[in-house]
Each structure stands twice: as C-alpha cells, then as structure tokens.
C-alpha cells in the first residue's frame, strides 16, 4: 500500500487499489463492489442460480433494481402487451420481494433506464465500483466511478458475495482539448473517437477522458461520452470528479448529507489522476476541429463528419475490411461516394441512456420550437426516466414536441433496443440518438444513423440527414442544455 | 455449473465476418427468456431465417448439413462485440459450439464465454487468414482442441499454441465456477467489509422515494 501510494497513480488505479479485497498469485483479484444495479433482462437466471444454491443476497441495501428494457412506452395504465416481457417484469418483482432488493418498478416515480436513475437518485458517486448486467454501465464513469457491465453469471456472484473476480485493466488516456463549435456536442466527441479507434480499439483498457473540452462539459454530456466507452471495446470510461460533479450530486436523495457530504467531497478531491502518472495508451482529439458526426454503417465505429461522403469499399485497407464495408453498405443500401447530408430518413428517435436526459430533450425541443417535423417522418421522443419526463413536461417541452408533430412517450429504453414494440420496419432509415447501429438493433431490417440530439432534431425538420450548425440561431440554441 | 472441459476433435464452421456483435448472435427479441435453455434456436436467427420463418436462400453456414455437430467456430476479428448479455455464449453453447477461433474477442464476451464452457482461442491475424484458407481448401478438415496443453492440433502434425488465462483454464478443466471460488473467500470479504463502510444505501429515503403502490 505504501509503495503504491507514493507512486503517481491514475484515477482508475486509485479506485482499483481501494477495492481489492484479496489477491492470490495466478488468480484474478477479488474486487469489492459498492453499488449493484439490476434490471429485468439479465437478472432472472442469476436469482434462479441463488435459489438453486440456497444463497441470499449479501447486501440488498447496496443493490437496486428497475424495469427498463422491455417496458412499453405507451401510457402506463395499459397492460404490458407482450406476454414474455410481462413475465420478465413480474419475475423481477418476485425476485426483489423475495430477496429484499429495493425496486423502482413500473408506477414508481423513480422508474427509468437504469443508467439514468442511478445518477438522478445520487446513488452514483465518485470513487465507487459500480456494476450492472448491462454494457452501458460505463455511463456512471462520468462521476469518476469505476463502472462496468457484467454478465449474468457475474450478477449472481455480486448478489451472493458483493464481490467480483477481475483482472487489473490497462489505462487509455483520451485527451480532448479546445472548444467545441456551436452545434457540436459530447455525442460528436465520442463518435469521433470511435471512428478513429474502431469498435475494438479500447479492448482490455479503461478510458480516462480528460482535457479542457471534457472539463467544460456538463455532467449529462459527460455521461453521453462515458456511456459509449463500451462501443470502443473498453468496459469502462471515467472522468475525474470536479466542481461540476459535486454540484450535480449535492442534495440528491442518496448523496451524503451534512458533515458526511463534506467528508465525502474531501475524499473525492483526492481521486483525480496524479501529475506524472503514466497511461498505457494515449490518443488526442482537437475539439475545435470537430464537426457533427453521423454513422453510415452497421457498427458505431463507422462514423464520419456529417459533411462527408459514404466511403468506397474499393479503397479499404485490406480484404476483410473491404468485405465488412461492402456488407454494411449493402445492409444500409447506401452508395459509395454519396453525401451523407440529404440522405432521406423515415424515423427520428431521441432518447436512450446515451441521450435521453433533460438537457438532451431541451436541445431537441429548442431546435424544434415553432417548426414542424417533415411530412412522412415519424419522430419519437422518449425520456430516459419518469423524472426526466416530469421535468420536461414542467418546462413545456412535451408541448413543443407535440406541436412539431413528434410523439411524446413514457420513459424506457424503447427504440434503442426495440424489445418493447417501438421499432423500425424493414428498410426504414432512422436518425437515432442511441448508441448502437448494429443490423436489426432498432427492428429487423431497420437502418440506423447514430447522431446527437441536435443533429436528430435538424434531420427531423429536414426529413433527411441535416447539419445542426445550419439551424437558425444555433449559437443561442446550443446553449440551452444546462446541467 | 459448466461440465469439465475435455480434449475434443471437430470439423470447423467458417464465419469470415469481422465484428460479429451480440445482436447478431442472439437478436434482442429473444432476451425475454427467464431461463438459459433452448437458445440454440435463436442463434444467428436473423442471418438464418426469413421473416416468414423459412430458411434463407442461400442457407447460412450453420444450417448447411455438413456443419451439423461441429464444435469449432472460426470467426473474423473482434467477435462478440456489443452487449454484456450472456445469452450470446449460452446460445453458442446450446448449439454445441465449444471453441471460437478468432483474432480478437470483445472483453465481456470473452469473460462470459469462459464462464460458460466456451473457449475463445485467439490467434494472430495472419494465422487466422491461413486457417480460413485451410478450411476453404479442405472443408472437412478436423482440428483437435487440447485445453490442458493449450494447443490446437492441425493436420500434418502442426500445433497451434494459444494463450488462456490460467485461472479460467483451471476452472474449465475442473468444471467448477467462479462463484464457488468467491464463496470460499468469505472470511477475507468479511474482514475487508469490517474496515470499509458501505458507500451508499439503496433503500428508499423518505416518502418521495417510496414505491407508489
Ligand atoms: S437505452 Fe439502450 S443501451 Fe441504454 S440500457 Fe436501454 S437498451 Fe441498453
């Protein structure tokens, strides 16, 4: 410990050292977990496993559950139409009751996407280890927590022991300096990173996002970036806690209070990476040079600045890559060399754990205010949680969306994963603020362009992929996000 | 709990596609199951079947009769990227796949696979290309996967060594699992918790946080 504390360490190394319970040569470390988030899709088999072995949940008070993936986003008084989804939600309720795990289920005012409600309730705090049976757990890294997705076998391990077996990850510095232009946002930073390193570029590593452009971001924008770390192959991505973090957390229901708050902030201030600490890898991005980004292919690494043309497979570096690109363009039905701008779209989706928070909705609403969604385009706006929904309605954002011709829905994952009936029809094109554009992700045969909320709104108005920098008054408009 | 992982001989199912993601391995609409069994049907579902339920034309590699019973999948780089869902290895294992040979695997997928009796064998990209060539030239070729010695035996007495995390290897060979190992560390966990107070309490605080009904 003493040797370790004298050497300069990175943020993730500090959190790691702080949570190692025991280490045995040849075996992975036993790592203590501070917070375990549970949802209906990846937990049923884990609870079954506990029953089979006659085990209890070791710390139900460090565990919290919500139903998000398969819940419908139609009005909540309608029964869940899909029998299998209903069974899964009922199963979660039974499991939570039997094992004493707090549940924010349907009808609870705190219900929502697991990665939206954790921060909202103040459960997500700097320096913690946080896991969930969902790969976008990396979202919580925005608070300077080591947060990563786990599989169902690991969900069972954490339920039973509040620990996990893990190997020390490598560190990857993502340095973003400079100032973003109006209309360019956090989503564009992460899509740019992914387009440069590819979907496997961060495998085995944990990203730490730093630099002046990151420090200037709000908490919600930081969450957008950390959310998509997994899309680069990194299980986690972190940002050092600072005044922005503390301000966001202060007063939230589960955040420390009074003297405990002061003590916690003092502890959190020791977390940022020490001067002189060494990362295993580094990449730098010039924020000032970024354009809005949009994906053209079938993985999140296939992204381009919005003014670009679709790439030509003939120019690919090798055979496998050429085949991959050909397959993607065939699926997307796009022509090499065609401009991305002006590509017609059928559906626009604003929502998900990437961009379904209040500041995202404010931006989309500001762009749509007094305008109309183009004829023939279906726009869905799905808040990330019930609280986001209430907040948006209190600000009148729902009215703006409805007046523009968009569909305003209940909270949930919705069209991000298309498990709940919100989905694309085969062949349809969507601009989506979610995080994955895999084949069929948003409905069988559906084609996804990933982009920011501003790009999504601009595209809804145009009925085609459109550059948000050309929205009238973009300078003032881009400043409405907050938080 | 997985079975003991023993040496086996098998033909190879070639899938020369890069970045095969978990949404392709098991489409999301099959995630609503509450048990693990029966996911073989969902494996690569949208690559195998038309919307009307008929097999695609041409048939996907898995459904070619010559492929039945093969336990080795030869796949392009970055296999298993995407979500943390364990449904992907469950589906592969329930189809009968026991090893995936590729040039890299997504982290979470790799961990999930090892926990479920599926062995990811990582070879360098050049070697992967040679293996695809070999299978193209000799579709019936059989390989022997020997986890204990960490080699794949190729025809002509050639051996292809591979790395595997020693701890995962032990678990696989013994057919035990990580939860059993962790439960054995209960005393160390008790000690650690005695000096490390909880960071957060997830139980509802005050009326505002209490469930509505
Ligand atoms: S919004 Fe999408 S990515 Fe996020 S938790 Fe839900 S399904 Fe997963």
């Amino acid at each position: 410990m003493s040797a370790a504390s004298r050497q300069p360490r990175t943020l993730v190394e500090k959190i790691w050292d702080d949570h190692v319970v025991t280490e045995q040569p040849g075996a992975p470390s036993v790592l203590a977990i501070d917070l375990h988030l549970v949802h209906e899709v990846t937990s049923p088999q884990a609870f079954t496993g506990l029953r089979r072995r006659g085990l209890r949940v070791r710390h139900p008070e460090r565990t919290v559950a919500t139903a998000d993936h398969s819940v419908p986003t139609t009005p909540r008084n309608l029964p869940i139409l899909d029998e299998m989804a209903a069974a899964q939600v009922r199963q979660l309720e039974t499991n939570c009751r039997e094992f004493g795990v707090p549940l924010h289920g349907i009808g609870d005012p705190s219900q929502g996407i697991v990665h939206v409600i954790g921060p909202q309730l103040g459960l997500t705090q700097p320096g913690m280890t946080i896991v969930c049976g969902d790969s976008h757990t990396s979202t919580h890294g925005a608070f300077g927590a080591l947060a990563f997705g786990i599989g169902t076998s690991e969900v069972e391990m954490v339920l039973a022991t509040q620990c996990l077996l893990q190997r020390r990850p490598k560190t990857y510095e993502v340095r973003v300096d400079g100032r973003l232009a109006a209309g360019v946002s956090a989503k564009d930073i992460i899509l740019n990173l992914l387009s440069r390193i590819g979907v496997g570029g961060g495998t085995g590593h944990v990203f730490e996002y730093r630099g002046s452009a990151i420090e200037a971001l709000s908490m919600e924008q930081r969450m957008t970036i950390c959310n998509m770390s997994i899309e680069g192959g990194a299980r986690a991505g972190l940002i050092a806690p600072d005044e922005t973090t503390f301000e966001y957390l202060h007063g939230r229901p589960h955040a420390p209070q009074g003297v405990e708050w002061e003590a916690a902030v003092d502890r959190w201030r020791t977390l940022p990476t020490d001067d002189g600490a060494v990362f295993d890898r580094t990449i730098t991005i010039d924020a000032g040079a970024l354009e809005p980004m949009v994906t053209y292919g079938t993985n999140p690494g296939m992204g381009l600045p919005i003014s670009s043309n679709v790439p030509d497979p003939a120019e690919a570096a090798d055979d496998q890559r050429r085949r991959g690109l050909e397959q993607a363009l065939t699926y997307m039905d796009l022509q090499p060399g065609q401009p991305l701008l002006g590509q017609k779209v059928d559906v626009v989706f604003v929502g998900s754990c990437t961009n379904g928070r209040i500041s995202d909705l404010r931006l989309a609403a500001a762009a749509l205010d007094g305008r109309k969604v183009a004829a023939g385009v279906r726009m869905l706006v799905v808040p990330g949680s019930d609280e986001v929904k209430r907040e948006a309605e209190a600000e009148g954002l729902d009215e703006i969306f409805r007046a523009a011709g968009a569909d305003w829905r209940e909270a949930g994952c919705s069209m991000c994963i298309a498990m709940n009936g919100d989905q694309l029809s085969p062949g349809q094109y969507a601009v989506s603020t979610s995080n994955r554009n895999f084949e069929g992700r948003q409905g069988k045969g559906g084609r996804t362009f990933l982009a920011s909320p501003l790009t999504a709104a601009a595209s809804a108005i145009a009925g085609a992929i459109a550059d948000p920098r050309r929205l009238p008054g973009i300078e003032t408009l881009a400043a409405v996000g907050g938080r | 709990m997985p079975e003991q992982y023993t040496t086996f001989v098998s033909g190879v199912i070639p899938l020369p596609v890069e970045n095969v993601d978990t949404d392709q391995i098991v489409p999301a609409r099959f995630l609503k199951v509450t048990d693990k069994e029966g996911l073989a049907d969902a494996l690569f579902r949208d690559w195998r079947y038309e919307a009307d339920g008929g097999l695609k034309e041409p048939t996907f590699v898995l459904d070619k009769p010559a492929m039945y019973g093969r336990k080795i999948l030869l796949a392009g780089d970055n296999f298993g990227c995407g979500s943390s869902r364990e449904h992907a290895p469950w589906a592969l294992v329930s189809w009968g796949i026991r090893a995936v040979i590729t040039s890299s695997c997504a982290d979470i997928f790799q961990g999930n696979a090892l926990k479920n009796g599926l062995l990811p064998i990582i070879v360098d990209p050049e070697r992967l290309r040679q293996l695809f060539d070999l299978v193209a030239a000799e579709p019936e070729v059989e390989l022997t996967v020997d986890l204990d010695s960490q080699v794949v035996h190729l025809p002509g007495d050639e051996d292809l060594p591979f790395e595997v995390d020693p701890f995962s290897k032990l678990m696989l060979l013994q057919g035990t699992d990580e939860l059993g190992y962790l439960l054995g560390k209960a005393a160390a966990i008790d000690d650690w918790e005695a000096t490390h107070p909880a960071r957060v309490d997830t139980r509802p605080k005050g009326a505002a946080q209490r469930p509505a009904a």
Side-chain angles (χ1 to χ4, degrees):
Chain A
M1 192 59 197
S2 52
S5 51
R6 247 172 284 142
Q7 267 209 344
R9 291 180 299 167
T10 62
L11 168 60
V12 60
E13 287 164 334
K14 292 183 194 184
I15 301 175
W16 180 272
D17 292 343
D18 221 22
H19 288 83
V20 173
V21 171
T22 173
E23 275 173 318
Q24 199 171 301
S29 313
V30 177
L31 194 72
I33 302 303
D34 291 317
L35 176 65
H36 185 191
L37 308 162
V38 170
H39 70 88
E40 78 277 22
V41 177
T42 52
S43 67
Q45 294 86 352
F47 283 106
T48 305
L50 291 186
R51 283 193 196 95
R52 218 172 268 159
R53 295 190 201 227
L55 296 168
R56 306 297 305 159
V57 173
R58 184 177 172 100
H59 285 300
E61 79 294 350
R62 299 182 199 181
T63 313
V64 64
T66 188
D68 55 4
H69 281 64
S70 51
V71 302
T73 56
T74 43
R76 290 281 197 254
N77 48 9
L78 300 175
I80 299 183
L81 293 175
D82 181 331
E83 202 18 66
M84 260 166 97
Q88 216 171 40
V89 171
R90 274 199 308 273
Q91 183 74 49
L92 180 71
E93 287 166 359
T94 310
N95 289 337
C96 288
R97 210 174 315 121
E98 181 181 335
F99 289 91
V101 171
L103 168 68
H104 298 288
I106 298 173
D108 178 318
S110 303
Q111 190 267 341
I113 305 174
V114 63
H115 311 309
V116 177
I117 69 170
Q120 201 174 269
L121 290 169
L123 289 164
T124 302
Q125 295 168 22
M128 279 185 166
T129 48
I130 301 175
V131 296
C132 173
D134 185 281
S135 51
H136 293 99
T137 309
S138 57
T139 312
H140 307 264
F143 291 79
L146 178 57
F148 52 91
I150 55 177
T152 302
S153 303
E154 290 174 314
V155 171
E156 187 181 344
M157 286 179 227
V158 179
L159 288 174
T161 67
Q162 202 62 32
C163 289
L164 259 186
L165 287 170
Q166 286 291 305
R167 303 227 172 240
R168 183 182 282 267
K170 296 203 197 84
T171 54
Y172 198 140
E173 174 185 39
V174 180
R175 237 206 128 79
V176 193
D177 284 312
R179 246 189 81 127
L180 293 171
V184 184
S185 66
K187 183 67 162 282
D188 303 306
I189 296 180
I190 187 67
L191 286 175
N192 183 272
L193 174 70
L194 298 172
S195 75
R196 291 170 58 182
I197 65 170
V199 284
T203 302
H205 292 74
V206 168
F207 293 135
E208 183 181 332
Y209 304 98
R210 31 198 335 236
S212 58
I214 301 292
E215 286 159 24
L217 297 175
S218 69
M219 280 321 291
E220 298 196 348
Q221 291 178 311
R222 294 180 189 185
M223 287 188 244
T224 298
I225 294 193
C226 291
N227 173 275
M228 291 187 75
S229 302
I230 183 65
E231 262 56 75
R235 288 181 71 180
L238 291 76
I239 294 171
D242 59 10
E243 296 310 317
T244 306
T245 321
F246 308 148
E247 195 183 310
Y248 179 96
L249 263 174
H250 189 74
R252 297 209 172 245
H254 290 268
Q257 273 154 30
V259 282
E260 280 178 43
W261 170 260
E262 301 302 327
V265 171
D266 284 347
R267 188 157 40 83
W268 297 339
R269 284 192 204 282
T270 66
L271 286 168
T273 294
D274 299 325
D275 288 339
V278 183
F279 290 88
D280 295 301
R281 293 175 78 175
T282 291
I283 186 172
T284 55
I285 293 175
D286 175 5
L290 292 184
E291 273 189 40
M293 296 284 297
V294 64
T295 62
Y296 60 88
T298 50
N299 74 50
M302 297 171 131
L304 284 170
I306 200 161
S307 62
S308 315
N309 299 334
V310 172
D312 188 345
E315 287 160 20
D318 58 57
D319 260 18
Q320 268 217 4
R321 210 142 295 171
R322 181 176 51 75
R323 268 202 307 269
L325 193 50
E326 277 169 359
Q327 194 188 341
L329 296 191
T330 305
Y331 182 84
M332 295 294 289
D333 195 19
L334 295 175
Q335 302 310 313
Q338 83 172 77
L340 288 166
L341 285 170
Q343 164 64 40
K344 288 206 72 63
V345 300
D346 307 292
V347 175
V348 172
F349 171 64
V350 174
S352 85
C353 61
T354 315
N355 283 123
R357 297 186 178 76
I358 188 69
S359 58
D360 301 311
L361 303 189
R362 282 184 193 137
L363 285 172
L368 282 168
D369 199 2
R371 302 191 179 89
K372 288 272 181 220
V373 174
V377 173
R378 176 178 176 225
M379 181 173 186
L380 252 84
V381 185
V382 182
S385 71
D386 277 358
E387 191 180 309
V388 171
K389 178 166 187 272
R390 284 193 300 273
E391 231 175 320
E393 289 176 352
E395 294 177 17
L397 304 186
D398 58 326
E399 291 305 325
I400 298 178
F401 290 127
R402 281 204 204 90
D407 203 357
W408 174 246
R409 308 295 285 263
E410 298 288 330
C413 293
S414 179
M415 201 180 267
C416 172
I417 190 162
M419 275 184 75
N420 75 336
D422 295 341
Q423 56 183 322
L424 299 177
S425 310
Q428 280 192 323
Y429 287 103
V431 173
S432 175
T433 66
S434 55
N435 45 49
R436 286 185 175 154
N437 53 350
F438 298 146
E439 290 182 17
R441 169 79 178 188
Q442 297 193 288
K444 201 170 163 184
R447 300 166 174 143
T448 303
F449 300 113
L450 298 176
S452 73
L454 272 176
T455 304
S459 304
I461 297 164
I465 294 179
D467 190 334
R469 292 172 301 178
R470 298 208 198 122
L471 286 167
I474 183 67
E475 298 286 342
T476 37
L477 199 161
V480 302
R483 278 213 194 148
Chain B
M1 229 179 280
E3 293 165 30
Q4 286 183 351
Y5 199 96
T6 47
T7 299
F8 65 91
V9 183
S10 166
V12 178
I13 305 171
L15 182 64
V17 182
E18 282 190 351
N19 302 317
V20 173
D21 59 78
T22 48
D23 280 41
Q24 306 318 318
I25 302 175
V26 179
R29 60 186 186 281
F30 295 99
L31 303 183
K32 294 173 202 163
V33 294
T34 49
D35 56 27
K36 304 179 185 183
E37 286 75 34
L39 275 169
D41 261 1
L43 182 65
F44 293 118
R45 184 76 190 194
D46 294 343
W47 285 355
R48 291 165 59 203
Y49 291 92
E50 297 290 358
D52 65 7
L55 281 182
K56 285 210 167 158
E57 205 48 66
T59 41
F60 184 63
V61 60
L62 223 51
D63 291 306
K64 297 203 162 67
M67 298 296 150
Y68 294 168
R70 295 190 178 186
K71 298 175 180 162
I72 302 174
L73 182 69
L74 183 65
D77 192 54
N78 197 30
F79 186 80
C81 60
S83 92
S84 60
R85 65 186 67 148
E86 219 155 318
H87 302 69
W90 290 339
L92 287 159
V93 167
S94 98
W95 181 268
I97 309 287
R98 307 205 50 208
V100 180
I101 306 182
T102 178
S103 48
S104 79
C105 246
D107 283 348
I108 300 183
F109 178 82
Q110 184 147 344
N112 285 339
L114 287 165
K115 287 181 191 64
N116 286 281
L118 178 66
L119 179 65
I121 298 177
I122 309 299
V123 300
D124 65 67
E126 183 51 35
R127 183 55 105 150
L128 187 69
R129 210 176 349 258
Q130 290 168 2
L131 287 172
F132 273 117
D133 290 347
L134 172 71
V135 176
E138 288 178 60
E140 301 304 315
V141 68
E142 295 209 310
L143 312 182
T144 306
V145 175
D146 180 347
L147 172 61
D148 199 10
S149 335
Q150 292 182 220
V151 286
V152 179
H153 302 294
L154 306 176
D157 277 345
E158 204 194 336
D159 279 350
L160 171 62
F162 60 87
E163 294 293 322
V164 57
D165 169 62
F167 182 75
S168 302
K169 173 178 169 181
L170 193 74
M171 298 275 126
L172 281 173
L173 290 175
Q174 292 180 348
T176 51
D177 67 6
E178 294 186 357
L179 179 51
Y181 178 88
L182 267 179
L183 289 170
K185 299 282 175 213
I189 298 173
D190 288 344
D191 285 352
W192 191 87
E193 285 186 354
T195 53
H196 294 78
R199 291 284 173 87
V200 73
D201 187 340
T202 57
R203 285 170 297 191
K205 276 185 197 164
Q209 293 310 312
R210 207 154 285 147

